[in-house]
Amino acid sequence: MTTKLFFKTLNLEARTTMSYRFDFWISAVIGFIAEFGAVWFLWNAVFKESNSDVIGGYSLSSMYIYYLTVILISKIVRGSRSKNDIASDIYQGNLNKYLLFPVNYILYKYAQHLGVMFPSFIQFFLFGVVVILVIDLPNDINLSFTSIFMALITIFIANILYFLMNYMLKLTAFWIDNVWSLDAFKWFIVSLLGGYMLPISVFPKNLQIVLNYLPFKFLFDFPVNTLFGKIGVEIWVKEIAISLIWCLFFLIVCRLVWKKGRLQYTGVGI
Amino acid sequence: MPLIKINNLHKKFRVHKKEEGFLGSLKALFKRQYIDKEAVVDVSFSVGKGEIIGLLGANGAGKTTLLKMLTGIIHPTKGNVEILGYNPWDRKNEFLKEISLIMGQKAQLWWDLPAADCFLLLKEIYVIPEKQYRETIEELSIKLNVKHLLNIQIRRLSLGERMKMELIASLLHRPKVLFLDEPTIGLDVKSQRVIREFILDYIKKYSPAVILTSHYMDDIQYLCERVLIIRSGKIVYDGLLTDLAQKYSPNKIIKAHFKEKQESLNILLDLQKYGEILHNEKEQIHLMVNRENISNTTNYLLEHYEIIDLSIEEVDISITIESILDNKKLDSINDY
């Protein structure tokens, strides 16, 4: 796959996604308000009931900021649910077309994934600018150029990691007709253990140790904490290395599953 | 040297059988029943440069399965495929850049993009040089009369227009091996003709090896000299289309034009001794007669009746093919 094709695909996908302007703005805003609203009421109640100012290292206001950020970051990490779903390619037989093209399927899909993600990236920046201008950041959040720069790299890797995990799961469509139930299960695991539903520091200490050895925290918790300046450079470099190893691991698994899966493929639909 | 070489190709599918109704679904949750289906059985043939082969068979005979194996989409259970010296399953870029599969039933172009954008994307996918790309688009879009439609989203085109775009798309990289799976399905008579002529044109110009499947005999007769007939996954005929009639149709048709209308029952009974009366209207009688009895019958007719005109014709090729497809006794025959 040539670089030119990679960027051409990315560009095309981004343009198509942005051409659905209604979807782009309305669904983004409404979804955001709904999700954030739920969190707002929940944590308000939790802090009130517990009579403490700090839970898991977060004050109420920094908890809000955490969710604000994690919701935005997750949009970039996940990309939106797209029509380019790998499982439906397999299920409906669109894969035939890609098998005939002299391109690497996984790279092609990644280019599309990045393209769909791109508009979310713009949203992230716009919302981010608004937040910084409007809200007084609590003391425990130290936003700096270094932390923003580090966070961007972290988010980029989280995006790759999420893509690979998703890709691996979706490849099971070679064997199972309906992977969407698995998909829901995956999101439950990933959002719970990755720090999307709750910051990982809220969990019991033992569980936190276990989560440290799993790849999920690199998706949400780690990028947010990096952005908030809570991670020192030295530790950051080490963690980035570990997350890259996880990426490599999933890439290898994906290749194996792809090889096995193709043997099962019947090229449905024609 | 043949461009396509296939040896003893087999494909067995394992299909999961589901009983009907709610209870059946419930049962299937715990225990699944599978049945093996032999889609392609021991197929061997080869196709040379510039040769175009018609692949004929009823629905479900295994034509498309065969094409899927030849293009590397599915894995053969047994046997060898070699195309341009490559094994399709390996999906080598060099191989994929030299082949094309056109499917009349399935859109391959990107639904929400205009054709022009699709072509640009394909240009990058196949790494087509700028000059060749420009020339090909220009030439093909004029030939198929779709130049004015290049900037319209694919999903807004009519079936025929879309098919023409699909054809252009699949020929942009000038493939050396071409697989056409029912390229004219669902098209009107004129579009069918245009596409047939267009394909023939491409073959004359670039002499690729082509395998064509179609249910329209016109396509086959216009484009193919050699045909393969496939029945329940087996090849039952491999040879020239023109030989097909002679070998597999035992009958010919005598068309006799009598001087007067023949109405008396006696005459009809008389003729029925020689063969089957297919048609009896005004002064015309069409009689299907066994090849061996042709001369006897014509002599008899000419001696006993006043006949203005008499002709002997082959049975319609599609009827012959139909009878081959239906005939379960006919064993595998390779005449090529």
mmCIF file of all heavy atoms in Angstrom, chain A residues 4-5 8 12 83 92 96-103 108 262-263 265-267 269-270, chain B residues 13 68 71-75 89 91 93 96 101 103 106 108 110 113 121-122 124-126:
data_model
loop_
_atom_site.group_PDB
_atom_site.id
_atom_site.type_symbol
_atom_site.label_atom_id
_atom_site.label_comp_id
_atom_site.label_asym_id
_atom_site.label_seq_id
_atom_site.Cartn_x
_atom_site.Cartn_y
_atom_site.Cartn_z
ATOM 1 N N LYS A 4 0.584 7.406 -0.648
ATOM 2 C CA LYS A 4 -0.383 8.268 -1.320
ATOM 3 C C LYS A 4 -1.798 7.690 -1.185
ATOM 4 O O LYS A 4 -2.751 8.406 -0.893
ATOM 5 C CB LYS A 4 0.004 8.366 -2.802
ATOM 6 C CG LYS A 4 -0.419 9.675 -3.425
ATOM 7 C CD LYS A 4 0.199 9.831 -4.810
ATOM 8 C CE LYS A 4 -0.590 10.804 -5.637
ATOM 9 N NZ LYS A 4 -0.292 10.684 -7.062
ATOM 10 N N LEU A 5 -1.891 6.380 -1.374
ATOM 11 C CA LEU A 5 -3.200 5.737 -1.253
ATOM 12 C C LEU A 5 -3.714 5.846 0.172
ATOM 13 O O LEU A 5 -4.890 6.115 0.410
ATOM 14 C CB LEU A 5 -3.095 4.269 -1.664
ATOM 15 C CG LEU A 5 -4.366 3.435 -1.444
ATOM 16 C CD1 LEU A 5 -5.526 3.992 -2.229
ATOM 17 C CD2 LEU A 5 -4.117 1.993 -1.823
ATOM 18 N N LYS A 8 -4.935 9.305 0.696
ATOM 19 C CA LYS A 8 -6.098 9.537 -0.162
ATOM 20 C C LYS A 8 -7.345 8.925 0.485
ATOM 21 O O LYS A 8 -8.414 9.540 0.522
ATOM 22 C CB LYS A 8 -5.821 8.889 -1.528
ATOM 23 C CG LYS A 8 -6.973 8.931 -2.465
ATOM 24 C CD LYS A 8 -6.637 9.719 -3.713
ATOM 25 C CE LYS A 8 -7.924 10.000 -4.435
ATOM 26 N NZ LYS A 8 -8.093 11.312 -4.917
ATOM 27 N N LEU A 12 -10.538 10.957 1.947
ATOM 28 C CA LEU A 12 -11.868 10.675 1.408
ATOM 29 C C LEU A 12 -12.854 10.366 2.526
ATOM 30 O O LEU A 12 -13.980 10.856 2.546
ATOM 31 C CB LEU A 12 -11.747 9.452 0.498
ATOM 32 C CG LEU A 12 -12.738 9.333 -0.637
ATOM 33 C CD1 LEU A 12 -12.577 10.499 -1.582
ATOM 34 C CD2 LEU A 12 -12.491 8.031 -1.378
ATOM 35 N N LYS A 83 -19.502 2.982 8.868
ATOM 36 C CA LYS A 83 -20.074 2.049 7.908
ATOM 37 C C LYS A 83 -19.004 1.102 7.394
ATOM 38 O O LYS A 83 -19.298 0.144 6.697
ATOM 39 C CB LYS A 83 -20.701 2.820 6.750
ATOM 40 C CG LYS A 83 -19.714 3.732 6.039
ATOM 41 C CD LYS A 83 -20.426 4.666 5.107
ATOM 42 C CE LYS A 83 -19.461 5.448 4.235
ATOM 43 N NZ LYS A 83 -18.355 6.101 4.945
ATOM 44 N N GLN A 92 -21.294 -9.512 5.018
ATOM 45 C CA GLN A 92 -22.043 -9.206 3.793
ATOM 46 C C GLN A 92 -21.260 -9.460 2.521
ATOM 47 O O GLN A 92 -21.787 -9.295 1.426
ATOM 48 C CB GLN A 92 -22.497 -7.753 3.826
ATOM 49 C CG GLN A 92 -23.540 -7.512 4.894
ATOM 50 C CD GLN A 92 -23.847 -6.056 5.091
ATOM 51 O OE1 GLN A 92 -23.216 -5.200 4.467
ATOM 52 N NE2 GLN A 92 -24.798 -5.766 5.945
ATOM 53 N N ASN A 96 -14.842 -9.314 -0.403
ATOM 54 C CA ASN A 96 -14.432 -9.801 -1.725
ATOM 55 C C ASN A 96 -13.660 -8.741 -2.496
ATOM 56 O O ASN A 96 -12.617 -9.001 -3.069
ATOM 57 C CB ASN A 96 -15.656 -10.167 -2.571
ATOM 58 C CG ASN A 96 -16.433 -11.309 -1.952
ATOM 59 O OD1 ASN A 96 -15.925 -11.982 -1.069
ATOM 60 N ND2 ASN A 96 -17.657 -11.513 -2.399
ATOM 61 N N LYS A 97 -14.235 -7.544 -2.477
ATOM 62 C CA LYS A 97 -13.648 -6.426 -3.212
ATOM 63 C C LYS A 97 -12.232 -6.140 -2.724
ATOM 64 O O LYS A 97 -11.318 -5.994 -3.513
ATOM 65 C CB LYS A 97 -14.577 -5.233 -3.003
ATOM 66 C CG LYS A 97 -14.012 -3.900 -3.288
ATOM 67 C CD LYS A 97 -15.121 -2.883 -3.359
ATOM 68 C CE LYS A 97 -15.152 -1.994 -2.141
ATOM 69 N NZ LYS A 97 -16.256 -1.029 -2.214
ATOM 70 N N TYR A 98 -12.085 -6.107 -1.386
ATOM 71 C CA TYR A 98 -10.773 -5.765 -0.834
ATOM 72 C C TYR A 98 -9.771 -6.888 -1.037
ATOM 73 O O TYR A 98 -8.576 -6.652 -1.124
ATOM 74 C CB TYR A 98 -10.901 -5.411 0.645
ATOM 75 C CG TYR A 98 -11.737 -4.177 0.844
ATOM 76 C CD1 TYR A 98 -13.030 -4.252 1.331
ATOM 77 C CD2 TYR A 98 -11.241 -2.931 0.475
ATOM 78 C CE1 TYR A 98 -13.805 -3.121 1.475
ATOM 79 C CE2 TYR A 98 -12.013 -1.795 0.615
ATOM 80 C CZ TYR A 98 -13.294 -1.894 1.114
ATOM 81 O OH TYR A 98 -14.054 -0.778 1.234
ATOM 82 N N LEU A 99 -10.269 -8.125 -1.109
ATOM 83 C CA LEU A 99 -9.354 -9.243 -1.358
ATOM 84 C C LEU A 99 -8.805 -9.179 -2.776
ATOM 85 O O LEU A 99 -7.738 -9.696 -3.064
ATOM 86 C CB LEU A 99 -10.076 -10.577 -1.144
ATOM 87 C CG LEU A 99 -10.343 -10.968 0.306
ATOM 88 C CD1 LEU A 99 -11.171 -12.229 0.367
ATOM 89 C CD2 LEU A 99 -9.044 -11.147 1.074
ATOM 90 N N LEU A 100 -9.559 -8.531 -3.652
ATOM 91 C CA LEU A 100 -9.124 -8.450 -5.046
ATOM 92 C C LEU A 100 -8.187 -7.269 -5.292
ATOM 93 O O LEU A 100 -7.469 -7.240 -6.278
ATOM 94 C CB LEU A 100 -10.340 -8.320 -5.965
ATOM 95 C CG LEU A 100 -11.177 -9.581 -6.107
ATOM 96 C CD1 LEU A 100 -12.491 -9.275 -6.789
ATOM 97 C CD2 LEU A 100 -10.414 -10.635 -6.881
ATOM 98 N N PHE A 101 -8.222 -6.305 -4.387
ATOM 99 C CA PHE A 101 -7.344 -5.154 -4.556
ATOM 100 C C PHE A 101 -5.926 -5.490 -4.097
ATOM 101 O O PHE A 101 -5.763 -6.177 -3.092
ATOM 102 C CB PHE A 101 -7.825 -3.967 -3.721
ATOM 103 C CG PHE A 101 -9.071 -3.318 -4.227
ATOM 104 C CD1 PHE A 101 -9.921 -2.651 -3.358
ATOM 105 C CD2 PHE A 101 -9.389 -3.346 -5.576
ATOM 106 C CE1 PHE A 101 -11.075 -2.034 -3.808
ATOM 107 C CE2 PHE A 101 -10.536 -2.734 -6.039
ATOM 108 C CZ PHE A 101 -11.387 -2.077 -5.158
ATOM 109 N N PRO A 102 -4.944 -4.979 -4.822
ATOM 110 C CA PRO A 102 -3.569 -5.189 -4.362
ATOM 111 C C PRO A 102 -3.237 -4.246 -3.207
ATOM 112 O O PRO A 102 -2.343 -3.413 -3.320
ATOM 113 C CB PRO A 102 -2.730 -4.881 -5.602
ATOM 114 C CG PRO A 102 -3.571 -3.982 -6.423
ATOM 115 C CD PRO A 102 -4.994 -4.293 -6.112
ATOM 116 N N VAL A 103 -3.985 -4.339 -2.130
ATOM 117 C CA VAL A 103 -3.695 -3.511 -0.959
ATOM 118 C C VAL A 103 -3.740 -4.376 0.289
ATOM 119 O O VAL A 103 -4.329 -5.444 0.293
ATOM 120 C CB VAL A 103 -4.722 -2.366 -0.764
ATOM 121 C CG1 VAL A 103 -4.627 -1.351 -1.862
ATOM 122 C CG2 VAL A 103 -6.126 -2.907 -0.638
ATOM 123 N N TYR A 108 -5.524 -0.498 4.967
ATOM 124 C CA TYR A 108 -6.600 0.222 4.297
ATOM 125 C C TYR A 108 -7.675 0.604 5.307
ATOM 126 O O TYR A 108 -8.147 1.733 5.355
ATOM 127 C CB TYR A 108 -7.177 -0.655 3.197
ATOM 128 C CG TYR A 108 -8.174 0.055 2.321
ATOM 129 C CD1 TYR A 108 -7.755 0.763 1.205
ATOM 130 C CD2 TYR A 108 -9.532 0.046 2.630
ATOM 131 C CE1 TYR A 108 -8.657 1.439 0.419
ATOM 132 C CE2 TYR A 108 -10.439 0.718 1.849
ATOM 133 C CZ TYR A 108 -10.000 1.408 0.736
ATOM 134 O OH TYR A 108 -10.911 2.085 -0.031
ATOM 135 N N ARG A 262 -9.383 -16.445 6.926
ATOM 136 C CA ARG A 262 -9.574 -16.434 5.472
ATOM 137 C C ARG A 262 -9.881 -17.830 4.938
ATOM 138 O O ARG A 262 -10.569 -17.986 3.936
ATOM 139 C CB ARG A 262 -8.321 -15.890 4.778
ATOM 140 C CG ARG A 262 -8.488 -14.459 4.308
ATOM 141 C CD ARG A 262 -7.325 -14.053 3.453
ATOM 142 N NE ARG A 262 -7.452 -14.547 2.094
ATOM 143 C CZ ARG A 262 -6.414 -14.775 1.300
ATOM 144 N NH1 ARG A 262 -5.204 -14.561 1.718
ATOM 145 N NH2 ARG A 262 -6.611 -15.217 0.076
ATOM 146 N N LEU A 263 -9.360 -18.848 5.626
ATOM 147 C CA LEU A 263 -9.645 -20.221 5.194
ATOM 148 C C LEU A 263 -11.126 -20.544 5.325
ATOM 149 O O LEU A 263 -11.655 -21.389 4.620
ATOM 150 C CB LEU A 263 -8.830 -21.213 6.037
ATOM 151 C CG LEU A 263 -7.331 -21.239 5.781
ATOM 152 C CD1 LEU A 263 -6.635 -22.058 6.849
ATOM 153 C CD2 LEU A 263 -7.040 -21.823 4.403
ATOM 154 N N TYR A 265 -13.543 -18.305 4.998
ATOM 155 C CA TYR A 265 -14.364 -17.360 4.248
ATOM 156 C C TYR A 265 -14.980 -18.012 3.016
ATOM 157 O O TYR A 265 -14.322 -18.758 2.305
ATOM 158 C CB TYR A 265 -13.489 -16.172 3.835
ATOM 159 C CG TYR A 265 -14.242 -15.028 3.212
ATOM 160 C CD1 TYR A 265 -15.283 -14.414 3.883
ATOM 161 C CD2 TYR A 265 -13.905 -14.561 1.955
ATOM 162 C CE1 TYR A 265 -15.963 -13.363 3.318
ATOM 163 C CE2 TYR A 265 -14.577 -13.498 1.380
ATOM 164 C CZ TYR A 265 -15.616 -12.911 2.068
ATOM 165 O OH TYR A 265 -16.281 -11.870 1.504
ATOM 166 N N THR A 266 -16.277 -17.723 2.813
ATOM 167 C CA THR A 266 -16.939 -18.334 1.663
ATOM 168 C C THR A 266 -17.305 -17.310 0.596
ATOM 169 O O THR A 266 -17.930 -17.640 -0.401
ATOM 170 C CB THR A 266 -18.231 -19.061 2.089
ATOM 171 O OG1 THR A 266 -19.053 -18.124 2.775
ATOM 172 C CG2 THR A 266 -17.927 -20.232 2.973
ATOM 173 N N GLY A 267 -16.907 -16.066 0.824
ATOM 174 C CA GLY A 267 -17.184 -15.045 -0.191
ATOM 175 C C GLY A 267 -18.657 -14.889 -0.469
ATOM 176 O O GLY A 267 -19.093 -14.902 -1.613
ATOM 177 N N GLY A 269 -22.481 -13.534 -0.888
ATOM 178 C CA GLY A 269 -23.034 -12.353 -1.548
ATOM 179 C C GLY A 269 -22.858 -12.316 -3.044
ATOM 180 O O GLY A 269 -23.424 -11.470 -3.714
ATOM 181 N N ILE A 270 -22.042 -13.199 -3.615
ATOM 182 C CA ILE A 270 -21.973 -13.247 -5.073
ATOM 183 C C ILE A 270 -22.193 -14.669 -5.540
ATOM 184 O O ILE A 270 -22.013 -15.594 -4.785
ATOM 185 C CB ILE A 270 -20.642 -12.733 -5.664
ATOM 186 C CG1 ILE A 270 -19.438 -13.420 -5.005
ATOM 187 C CG2 ILE A 270 -20.569 -11.236 -5.523
ATOM 188 C CD1 ILE A 270 -18.139 -13.174 -5.735
ATOM 189 N N PHE B 13 -17.985 -27.357 0.917
ATOM 190 C CA PHE B 13 -18.467 -26.422 1.934
ATOM 191 C C PHE B 13 -19.119 -27.198 3.060
ATOM 192 O O PHE B 13 -19.767 -28.213 2.826
ATOM 193 C CB PHE B 13 -19.530 -25.479 1.366
ATOM 194 C CG PHE B 13 -18.976 -24.398 0.511
ATOM 195 C CD1 PHE B 13 -19.347 -24.277 -0.827
ATOM 196 C CD2 PHE B 13 -18.080 -23.476 1.033
ATOM 197 C CE1 PHE B 13 -18.837 -23.271 -1.617
ATOM 198 C CE2 PHE B 13 -17.567 -22.466 0.258
ATOM 199 C CZ PHE B 13 -17.950 -22.365 -1.075
ATOM 200 N N LYS B 68 -14.411 -17.740 -7.566
ATOM 201 C CA LYS B 68 -13.879 -17.254 -6.283
ATOM 202 C C LYS B 68 -12.548 -17.920 -5.951
ATOM 203 O O LYS B 68 -11.689 -17.307 -5.333
ATOM 204 C CB LYS B 68 -14.876 -17.538 -5.161
ATOM 205 C CG LYS B 68 -16.066 -16.598 -5.114
ATOM 206 C CD LYS B 68 -16.922 -16.965 -3.922
ATOM 207 C CE LYS B 68 -18.330 -16.484 -4.044
ATOM 208 N NZ LYS B 68 -19.200 -17.177 -3.077
ATOM 209 N N THR B 71 -9.786 -16.375 -8.129
ATOM 210 C CA THR B 71 -9.374 -15.011 -7.798
ATOM 211 C C THR B 71 -8.796 -14.911 -6.388
ATOM 212 O O THR B 71 -8.461 -13.828 -5.934
ATOM 213 C CB THR B 71 -10.576 -14.051 -7.901
ATOM 214 O OG1 THR B 71 -11.689 -14.636 -7.241
ATOM 215 C CG2 THR B 71 -10.948 -13.794 -9.332
ATOM 216 N N GLY B 72 -8.712 -16.045 -5.693
ATOM 217 C CA GLY B 72 -8.082 -16.026 -4.372
ATOM 218 C C GLY B 72 -9.000 -15.594 -3.254
ATOM 219 O O GLY B 72 -8.550 -15.323 -2.150
ATOM 220 N N ILE B 73 -10.296 -15.519 -3.524
ATOM 221 C CA ILE B 73 -11.224 -15.107 -2.466
ATOM 222 C C ILE B 73 -11.451 -16.261 -1.491
ATOM 223 O O ILE B 73 -11.468 -16.070 -0.289
ATOM 224 C CB ILE B 73 -12.564 -14.632 -3.071
ATOM 225 C CG1 ILE B 73 -12.348 -13.318 -3.820
ATOM 226 C CG2 ILE B 73 -13.612 -14.441 -1.983
ATOM 227 C CD1 ILE B 73 -13.561 -12.830 -4.578
ATOM 228 N N ILE B 74 -11.619 -17.454 -2.022
ATOM 229 C CA ILE B 74 -11.785 -18.599 -1.133
ATOM 230 C C ILE B 74 -10.709 -19.657 -1.394
ATOM 231 O O ILE B 74 -10.074 -19.670 -2.452
ATOM 232 C CB ILE B 74 -13.191 -19.249 -1.245
ATOM 233 C CG1 ILE B 74 -13.431 -19.762 -2.655
ATOM 234 C CG2 ILE B 74 -14.268 -18.276 -0.825
ATOM 235 C CD1 ILE B 74 -14.722 -20.555 -2.771
ATOM 236 N N HIS B 75 -10.532 -20.490 -0.417
ATOM 237 C CA HIS B 75 -9.454 -21.467 -0.454
ATOM 238 C C HIS B 75 -9.961 -22.799 -1.008
ATOM 239 O O HIS B 75 -10.973 -23.302 -0.536
ATOM 240 C CB HIS B 75 -8.933 -21.670 0.973
ATOM 241 C CG HIS B 75 -7.665 -22.433 1.032
ATOM 242 N ND1 HIS B 75 -7.598 -23.727 1.453
ATOM 243 C CD2 HIS B 75 -6.404 -22.091 0.687
ATOM 244 C CE1 HIS B 75 -6.342 -24.140 1.370
ATOM 245 N NE2 HIS B 75 -5.599 -23.160 0.914
ATOM 246 N N TRP B 89 -4.308 -17.677 -3.995
ATOM 247 C CA TRP B 89 -4.519 -17.615 -2.554
ATOM 248 C C TRP B 89 -3.484 -16.725 -1.862
ATOM 249 O O TRP B 89 -3.776 -16.111 -0.833
ATOM 250 C CB TRP B 89 -4.508 -19.024 -1.968
ATOM 251 C CG TRP B 89 -4.762 -19.051 -0.498
ATOM 252 C CD1 TRP B 89 -3.880 -19.404 0.483
ATOM 253 C CD2 TRP B 89 -5.973 -18.699 0.182
ATOM 254 N NE1 TRP B 89 -4.469 -19.286 1.710
ATOM 255 C CE2 TRP B 89 -5.749 -18.860 1.569
ATOM 256 C CE3 TRP B 89 -7.225 -18.250 -0.245
ATOM 257 C CZ2 TRP B 89 -6.725 -18.599 2.527
ATOM 258 C CZ3 TRP B 89 -8.203 -17.980 0.718
ATOM 259 C CH2 TRP B 89 -7.948 -18.163 2.074
ATOM 260 N N ARG B 91 -2.351 -13.948 -2.751
ATOM 261 C CA ARG B 91 -2.679 -12.532 -2.914
ATOM 262 C C ARG B 91 -1.438 -11.662 -3.091
ATOM 263 O O ARG B 91 -1.331 -10.600 -2.487
ATOM 264 C CB ARG B 91 -3.508 -12.020 -1.736
ATOM 265 C CG ARG B 91 -4.909 -12.598 -1.651
ATOM 266 C CD ARG B 91 -5.743 -11.899 -0.604
ATOM 267 N NE ARG B 91 -5.981 -10.514 -0.968
ATOM 268 C CZ ARG B 91 -5.709 -9.478 -0.188
ATOM 269 N NH1 ARG B 91 -5.200 -9.660 0.996
ATOM 270 N NH2 ARG B 91 -5.963 -8.269 -0.597
ATOM 271 N N ASN B 93 0.729 -8.884 -4.651
ATOM 272 C CA ASN B 93 0.328 -7.658 -5.351
ATOM 273 C C ASN B 93 0.527 -7.740 -6.859
ATOM 274 O O ASN B 93 -0.285 -7.267 -7.634
ATOM 275 C CB ASN B 93 1.097 -6.459 -4.805
ATOM 276 C CG ASN B 93 0.551 -6.003 -3.466
ATOM 277 O OD1 ASN B 93 -0.516 -6.465 -3.040
ATOM 278 N ND2 ASN B 93 1.256 -5.115 -2.804
ATOM 279 N N LEU B 96 -2.431 -9.593 -8.215
ATOM 280 C CA LEU B 96 -3.702 -8.861 -8.135
ATOM 281 C C LEU B 96 -3.756 -7.698 -9.114
ATOM 282 O O LEU B 96 -4.829 -7.309 -9.572
ATOM 283 C CB LEU B 96 -3.926 -8.373 -6.704
ATOM 284 C CG LEU B 96 -4.143 -9.480 -5.670
ATOM 285 C CD1 LEU B 96 -4.104 -8.936 -4.260
ATOM 286 C CD2 LEU B 96 -5.466 -10.197 -5.913
ATOM 287 N N LEU B 101 -12.062 -9.047 -11.601
ATOM 288 C CA LEU B 101 -13.301 -9.812 -11.521
ATOM 289 C C LEU B 101 -14.454 -8.830 -11.619
ATOM 290 O O LEU B 101 -14.545 -7.885 -10.842
ATOM 291 C CB LEU B 101 -13.364 -10.576 -10.185
ATOM 292 C CG LEU B 101 -14.692 -11.217 -9.803
ATOM 293 C CD1 LEU B 101 -15.070 -12.326 -10.764
ATOM 294 C CD2 LEU B 101 -14.641 -11.775 -8.381
ATOM 295 N N MET B 103 -18.452 -8.443 -11.407
ATOM 296 C CA MET B 103 -19.640 -9.152 -10.973
ATOM 297 C C MET B 103 -20.872 -8.341 -11.321
ATOM 298 O O MET B 103 -21.018 -7.210 -10.868
ATOM 299 C CB MET B 103 -19.576 -9.388 -9.467
ATOM 300 C CG MET B 103 -18.471 -10.343 -9.090
ATOM 301 S SD MET B 103 -18.271 -10.484 -7.313
ATOM 302 C CE MET B 103 -17.291 -9.059 -6.946
ATOM 303 N N LYS B 106 -23.174 -7.638 -8.080
ATOM 304 C CA LYS B 106 -22.705 -7.008 -6.845
ATOM 305 C C LYS B 106 -21.898 -5.769 -7.212
ATOM 306 O O LYS B 106 -20.940 -5.851 -7.962
ATOM 307 C CB LYS B 106 -21.838 -8.015 -6.090
ATOM 308 C CG LYS B 106 -21.300 -7.483 -4.805
ATOM 309 C CD LYS B 106 -21.888 -8.209 -3.626
ATOM 310 C CE LYS B 106 -21.378 -7.593 -2.332
ATOM 311 N NZ LYS B 106 -22.231 -7.927 -1.208
ATOM 312 N N GLN B 108 -19.199 -3.114 -6.915
ATOM 313 C CA GLN B 108 -17.885 -3.097 -6.278
ATOM 314 C C GLN B 108 -17.406 -1.677 -6.034
ATOM 315 O O GLN B 108 -16.542 -1.443 -5.216
ATOM 316 C CB GLN B 108 -16.865 -3.822 -7.145
ATOM 317 C CG GLN B 108 -17.188 -5.279 -7.297
ATOM 318 C CD GLN B 108 -16.046 -6.040 -7.915
ATOM 319 O OE1 GLN B 108 -15.080 -6.384 -7.263
ATOM 320 N NE2 GLN B 108 -16.138 -6.286 -9.208
ATOM 321 N N TRP B 110 -17.534 2.325 -4.891
ATOM 322 C CA TRP B 110 -17.971 2.946 -3.640
ATOM 323 C C TRP B 110 -19.280 3.668 -3.877
ATOM 324 O O TRP B 110 -19.380 4.562 -4.716
ATOM 325 C CB TRP B 110 -16.908 3.903 -3.122
ATOM 326 C CG TRP B 110 -15.703 3.172 -2.676
ATOM 327 C CD1 TRP B 110 -15.425 2.755 -1.409
ATOM 328 C CD2 TRP B 110 -14.596 2.729 -3.479
ATOM 329 N NE1 TRP B 110 -14.231 2.081 -1.381
ATOM 330 C CE2 TRP B 110 -13.700 2.054 -2.618
ATOM 331 C CE3 TRP B 110 -14.273 2.822 -4.836
ATOM 332 C CZ2 TRP B 110 -12.517 1.497 -3.075
ATOM 333 C CZ3 TRP B 110 -13.099 2.272 -5.287
ATOM 334 C CH2 TRP B 110 -12.240 1.615 -4.409
ATOM 335 N N LEU B 113 -19.632 7.616 -3.769
ATOM 336 C CA LEU B 113 -18.695 8.455 -4.523
ATOM 337 C C LEU B 113 -19.111 8.514 -5.985
ATOM 338 O O LEU B 113 -19.670 7.575 -6.515
ATOM 339 C CB LEU B 113 -17.288 7.865 -4.456
ATOM 340 C CG LEU B 113 -16.602 7.816 -3.105
ATOM 341 C CD1 LEU B 113 -15.211 7.227 -3.272
ATOM 342 C CD2 LEU B 113 -16.494 9.202 -2.510
ATOM 343 N N LEU B 121 -9.399 6.704 -6.978
ATOM 344 C CA LEU B 121 -8.972 5.835 -5.889
ATOM 345 C C LEU B 121 -8.339 4.558 -6.450
ATOM 346 O O LEU B 121 -7.306 4.096 -5.977
ATOM 347 C CB LEU B 121 -10.186 5.495 -5.020
ATOM 348 C CG LEU B 121 -9.916 5.094 -3.587
ATOM 349 C CD1 LEU B 121 -9.126 6.154 -2.854
ATOM 350 C CD2 LEU B 121 -11.224 4.847 -2.858
ATOM 351 N N LEU B 122 -8.978 4.029 -7.494
ATOM 352 C CA LEU B 122 -8.437 2.818 -8.121
ATOM 353 C C LEU B 122 -7.074 3.094 -8.753
ATOM 354 O O LEU B 122 -6.210 2.233 -8.785
ATOM 355 C CB LEU B 122 -9.408 2.294 -9.184
ATOM 356 C CG LEU B 122 -10.666 1.654 -8.611
ATOM 357 C CD1 LEU B 122 -11.704 1.438 -9.701
ATOM 358 C CD2 LEU B 122 -10.333 0.334 -7.938
ATOM 359 N N GLU B 124 -4.849 4.960 -7.537
ATOM 360 C CA GLU B 124 -3.862 4.833 -6.470
ATOM 361 C C GLU B 124 -3.718 3.381 -6.030
ATOM 362 O O GLU B 124 -2.615 2.931 -5.737
ATOM 363 C CB GLU B 124 -4.260 5.679 -5.256
ATOM 364 C CG GLU B 124 -4.377 7.173 -5.528
ATOM 365 C CD GLU B 124 -3.124 7.752 -6.151
ATOM 366 O OE1 GLU B 124 -2.031 7.206 -5.904
ATOM 367 O OE2 GLU B 124 -3.243 8.730 -6.907
ATOM 368 N N ILE B 125 -4.829 2.661 -5.985
ATOM 369 C CA ILE B 125 -4.779 1.270 -5.544
ATOM 370 C C ILE B 125 -3.914 0.434 -6.489
ATOM 371 O O ILE B 125 -3.079 -0.351 -6.071
ATOM 372 C CB ILE B 125 -6.202 0.676 -5.439
ATOM 373 C CG1 ILE B 125 -6.907 1.262 -4.217
ATOM 374 C CG2 ILE B 125 -6.171 -0.846 -5.357
ATOM 375 C CD1 ILE B 125 -8.342 0.837 -4.042
ATOM 376 N N TYR B 126 -4.111 0.641 -7.787
ATOM 377 C CA TYR B 126 -3.373 -0.168 -8.764
ATOM 378 C C TYR B 126 -2.097 0.520 -9.244
ATOM 379 O O TYR B 126 -1.401 -0.017 -10.103
ATOM 380 C CB TYR B 126 -4.265 -0.489 -9.957
ATOM 381 C CG TYR B 126 -5.317 -1.529 -9.639
ATOM 382 C CD1 TYR B 126 -6.621 -1.166 -9.347
ATOM 383 C CD2 TYR B 126 -4.997 -2.878 -9.613
ATOM 384 C CE1 TYR B 126 -7.580 -2.109 -9.040
ATOM 385 C CE2 TYR B 126 -5.947 -3.837 -9.310
ATOM 386 C CZ TYR B 126 -7.235 -3.453 -9.024
ATOM 387 O OH TYR B 126 -8.176 -4.393 -8.716
#
